[in-house]
């Protein structure tokens, strides 16, 4: 009986070991498949027939309150790419660059289409599409009688910006350069275009934007001043996740050619 009991124990152990090996094999196969999808997502996008783009609600991103045929500058650009690939375009509206990048990391979309300074930290974390443009930071101001003409005059002036703005770091650097503080007020659940409307009404005195965006805002808010530069030109573009290698290459190749065409020129002149 003892020998039989020992044999049964050995058989049970053998079953447990074989079962564990089978589970490990299945898990490894799932991991390989998941890794493959993550590193090669363009075929998956093509199979689903849908490209999801993350952008803000504005004339530069996706204009939900568009008039006539102005859908948003970046929307029309990425729509041209989606059409060239035979893909349906879906927009996820997220205000604030930090929030947009978090949404990308969480898998809410395939690409962030915004005026993103392609700094070294951005390039380390994401695949950069571009540079598509070169732009610098500018102060937006409304009151002609109290219009600032130098960054030195920004000391103790309250600058209003959206929550999780990419400009806060630049404002910190500027304060260090001036050896004084530049106070800021952060507004939650507010887009850059919302702030431009507040500025136009005189509700706030100062906010910030990139020079490329300012050219669009100037046409919409003609009484706003954008003539004070706060930095040098930086390469700007869009981003996709580090695992989206083929999507990155596809976007780069498309825009390299598209931005030389009359179709792109037509879109550009519509907004600028």
């Amino acid at each position: 009986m003892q020998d039989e009991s020992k044999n049964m124990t050995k058989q049970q152990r053998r079953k447990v070991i074989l079962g564990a090996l089978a589970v490990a094999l299945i898990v490894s196969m799932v991991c390989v498949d998941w890794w493959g999808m993550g590193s090669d997502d363009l075929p998956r996008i093509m199979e689903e027939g849908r490209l999801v783009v993350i952008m803000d609600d504005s004339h530069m991103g996706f204009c939900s309150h568009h008039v006539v045929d102005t859908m948003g500058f970046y929307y029309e650009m990425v729509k041209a790419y989606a059409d060239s690939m035979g893909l349906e375009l879906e927009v996820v509206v997220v205000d604030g660059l930090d929030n947009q990048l978090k949404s990308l990391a969480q898998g809410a979309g395939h690409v962030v289409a915004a005026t993103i300074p392609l700094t070294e930290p951005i390039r380390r974390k994401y695949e950069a599409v571009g540079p598509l443009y070169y732009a610098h930071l500018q102060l937006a101001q409304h009151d002609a009688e109290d219009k600032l003409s130098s960054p030195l005059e920004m000391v103790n002036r309250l600058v209003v910006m959206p929550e999780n703005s990419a400009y806060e770091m630049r404002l910190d650097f500027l304060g260090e350069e001036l050896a004084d503080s530049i106070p800021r007020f952060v507004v939650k659940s507010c887009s850059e275009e919302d702030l431009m409307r507040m500025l136009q009404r005189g509700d706030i005195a100062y906010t910030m934007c990139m020079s490329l965006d300012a050219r669009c805002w100037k046409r919409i808010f003609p009484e706003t001043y954008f003539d004070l530069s706060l930095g040098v030109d930086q390469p700007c573009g869009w981003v996709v996740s580090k695992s989206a290698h083929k999507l990155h290459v596809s976007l780069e190749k498309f825009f390299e050619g598209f931005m030389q065409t009359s179709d792109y020129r037509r879109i550009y002149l519509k907004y600028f």
Side-chain angles (χ1 to χ4, degrees):
M1 290 292 293
Q2 286 184 343
D3 291 340
E4 185 177 350
S5 176
K6 289 181 179 179
N7 289 336
M8 288 178 63
T9 302
K10 289 180 180 179
Q11 289 178 359
Q12 289 173 346
R13 288 176 180 173
R14 185 179 179 185
K15 287 181 179 180
V16 169
I17 292 172
L18 290 175
L21 290 173
V23 170
L25 180 60
I26 292 171
V27 169
S28 65
M29 290 175 65
V30 170
C31 290
V32 168
D33 185 53
W34 177 85
W35 180 260
M37 288 195 300
S39 62
D40 185 13
D41 61 346
L42 183 58
R44 183 158 44 93
I45 291 171
M46 297 298 294
E47 183 179 349
E48 294 175 354
R50 181 172 56 99
L51 179 71
V52 183
V53 58
I54 300 168
M55 55 179 63
D56 66 1
D57 183 359
S58 73
H59 280 75
M60 283 297 295
F62 173 71
C63 186
S64 62
H65 51 281
H66 64 275
V67 293
V68 193
D69 61 344
T70 50
M71 296 289 293
F73 179 57
Y74 291 140
Y75 173 85
E76 294 202 39
M77 286 183 65
V78 76
K79 180 69 163 59
Y81 169 76
D83 288 347
S84 74
M85 301 292 286
L87 295 169
E88 175 189 350
L89 184 61
E90 179 181 328
V91 174
V92 176
V93 174
V94 180
D95 290 326
L97 180 57
D98 279 2
N99 292 333
Q100 291 171 341
L101 295 177
K102 287 177 183 176
S103 295
L104 180 68
Q106 292 166 358
H110 301 119
V111 55
V112 176
T115 309
I116 304 173
L118 301 179
T119 59
E120 186 59 31
I122 288 289
R123 290 182 181 276
R124 282 200 302 267
K125 294 181 179 179
Y126 308 95
E127 290 286 3
V129 180
L132 300 177
Y133 307 98
Y134 287 84
H136 56 269
L137 196 60
Q138 287 187 267
L139 185 70
Q141 46 190 334
H142 177 69
D143 192 347
E145 296 181 0
D146 195 27
K147 188 162 72 74
L148 308 185
S149 57
S150 166
L152 292 170
E153 299 175 288
M154 291 182 63
V155 174
N156 298 324
R157 304 296 182 111
L158 184 66
V159 178
V160 182
M161 58 184 61
E163 185 180 25
N164 297 319
S165 171
Y167 309 145
E168 284 198 70
M169 186 178 295
R170 175 56 190 151
L171 210 58
D172 290 337
F173 290 155
L174 186 60
E176 291 177 7
E177 292 171 14
L178 300 176
D180 211 328
S181 62
I182 301 175
R184 77 287 310 266
F185 182 78
V186 174
V187 182
K188 295 183 178 181
S189 303
C190 183
S191 70
E192 189 169 279
E193 186 162 352
D194 292 333
L195 289 182
M196 293 300 165
R197 295 186 187 282
M198 294 168 66
L199 193 69
Q200 180 86 347
R201 294 194 302 263
D203 296 338
I204 61 175
Y206 310 102
T207 187
M208 305 165 78
C209 66
M210 297 299 290
S211 57
L212 176 67
D213 301 42
R215 294 166 69 179
C216 178
W217 301 143
K218 187 63 179 176
R219 295 186 62 173
I220 303 168
F221 308 107
E223 296 179 15
T224 300
Y225 297 92
F226 298 95
D227 48 0
L228 179 55
S229 298
L230 300 177
V232 298
D233 276 354
Q234 293 179 287
C236 298
W238 303 350
V239 296
V240 300
S241 67
K242 275 291 186 182
S243 62
H245 302 304
K246 288 194 174 181
L247 176 61
H248 173 242
V249 171
S250 179
L251 285 164
E252 289 265 274
K253 184 177 180 180
F254 172 79
F255 285 116
E256 182 179 352
F258 179 71
M259 293 179 72
Q260 309 301 319
T261 65
S262 59
D263 286 341
Y264 169 75
R265 184 66 177 169
R266 175 184 54 78
I267 295 172
Y268 185 88
L269 291 176
K270 186 190 301 185
Y271 294 90
F272 301 110

